[in-house]
């Protein structure tokens, strides 16, 4: 898996995440707000620079931000890892 996402831009990643969620849905995984339940057990976020973290900076103005670089983050699946 190392480096699998490193060549992806944010749009590619968003498309990929939609695909992953669709797969989960097809497999009958319980979902909440379009996100598989088990993702919430171990929350993880990914920013456009590829940083993965269990912690984010909550900003009223800018939304959820990466602690390392300040870019916007989106929730990712629990197995996602940096690199
Ligand atoms: Zn970052």
């Amino acid at each position: 898996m190392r480096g699998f996402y490193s060549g992806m831009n944010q749009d590619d990643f968003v498309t990929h995440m939609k695909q992953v969620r669709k797969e989960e849905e097809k497999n009958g995984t319980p979902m909440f707000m379009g996100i598989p339940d088990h993702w919430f057990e171990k929350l993880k976020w990914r920013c456009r620079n590829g940083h993965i973290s269990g912690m984010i900076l909550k900003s009223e103005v800018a939304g959820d931000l990466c602690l390392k670089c300040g870019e916007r983050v989106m929730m990712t699946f629990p197995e996602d890892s940096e690199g």
Side-chain angles (χ1 to χ4, degrees):
M1 280 297 274
R2 187 159 227 281
F4 181 72
Y5 297 108
S6 57
M8 280 188 174
N9 65 34
Q10 189 75 354
D11 289 343
D12 289 342
F13 186 68
V14 170
T15 305
H16 175 73
M17 291 297 285
K18 281 181 185 156
Q19 202 63 40
V20 170
R21 292 206 294 254
K22 209 178 281 178
E23 283 294 315
E24 297 260 16
E25 202 171 12
K26 211 169 65 185
N27 295 335
T29 307
M31 310 276 277
F32 177 73
M33 306 268 289
I35 293 171
D37 269 1
H38 69 96
W39 290 21
F40 292 97
E41 287 164 20
K42 192 182 174 191
L43 290 171
K44 270 197 176 181
W45 289 269
R46 163 182 280 266
C47 79
R48 65 191 308 140
N49 292 324
H51 300 129
I52 311 281
S53 180
M55 282 171 55
I56 50 168
L57 184 66
K58 285 265 181 195
S59 164
E60 292 273 324
V61 183
D64 299 340
L65 303 174
C66 176
L67 287 175
K68 289 180 185 165
C69 67
E71 286 283 353
R72 291 288 297 272
V73 292
M74 61 182 295
M75 194 187 279
T76 185
F77 48 94
E79 294 80 17
D80 200 2
S81 62
E82 255 179 63

